[in-house]
Structures are given as structure tokens and as C-alpha cells.
Amino acid sequence: MEDNRVWAFEESLWTGGAEQYRELIDEECVMVLPEQPFVLTSDQAIEAVAHTPRWSSVSFSEQQIMRPQEGLITIAYKAEAQGEGKEGYTAYCTTTMRRLEHDVWRVVQHQQTVPLVAGGA
């Protein structure tokens, strides 16, 4: 997958709904998010997305793409998301995707870390 498609794929996960997650999240995916229950299976992540207002936009910076082997892509980046009626959100993230067949990719791992505010605990 070309770099621009990787970032479009990732953006769609931030702004898309539960159907987008069902299509792009692997059944064996594991996620770590900065709120309880912290560690989620794919089913738990899809359920959480279904009951959470989606971000209307997200921008990425500090982007890195690694291709450790054929059919495997790992990305790292800083995300800044905005949503109508929601406070902005900033996190440092990683996502790993695997190719199932030509042009068919699924997320097998995603992690978000929210930076501590200066002077915080």
C-alpha cells in the first residue's frame, strides 16, 4: 500500500463509524487506549465506536511508516482530532496492518498514548 493510501486508511478509522471498523479491524486485533477498559479486543473496539461520537476531522504529524516484511505495515504518528461539540484530542499512536490479499488490509494492533500535561502527575 502506498504511503498516501496508508494515511487515508488510518484517517478513515478516526472519522468513520462502526461499519468502517467492522470492515477494517481484524478479528484478532488488540487495542490499547488511554481510558478504561484500556485493553480492547476487536469486538470491544467496534462496540465502543458504535456508541461514541466520531471525530469530524483529524490531522497527523510526526508520521513514520515501517514495512518490516511483505504484507505488514506499522505506522506511528501524532494525531490531533476535532469534533463538533467535543474538546480537541491529541494522542501519539501506533497502528499495525496486515495484508490479507491484494488491496485488502486489516488492522491487527492500535495503541494511543495521551501526553501528560506539564506539571501534571
Side-chain angles (χ1 to χ4, degrees), residues 36-118:
Q36 290 189 5
F38 302 111
V39 179
L40 292 89
T41 64
S42 60
D43 288 340
Q44 290 170 317
I46 291 166
E47 184 67 19
V49 165
H51 294 76
T52 304
R54 304 307 299 143
W55 299 108
S56 55
S57 66
V58 64
S59 61
F60 302 138
S61 60
E62 303 181 37
Q63 297 159 277
Q64 300 286 323
I65 297 181
M66 304 298 171
R67 292 176 171 87
Q69 70 182 50
E70 181 69 27
L72 194 63
I73 298 173
T74 299
I75 61 175
Y77 59 94
K78 178 181 179 182
E80 295 179 274
Q82 297 78 36
E84 197 168 318
K86 295 171 70 170
E87 185 176 324
Y89 178 75
T90 299
Y92 289 86
C93 307
T94 62
T95 300
T96 302
M97 302 164 229
R98 71 178 175 129
R99 185 178 60 218
L100 300 180
E101 57 187 71
H102 181 70
D103 278 344
V104 178
W105 292 82
R106 297 291 182 271
V107 173
V108 294
Q109 174 276 329
H110 178 74
Q111 173 271 327
Q112 297 178 15
T113 299
V114 175
L116 292 175
V117 177

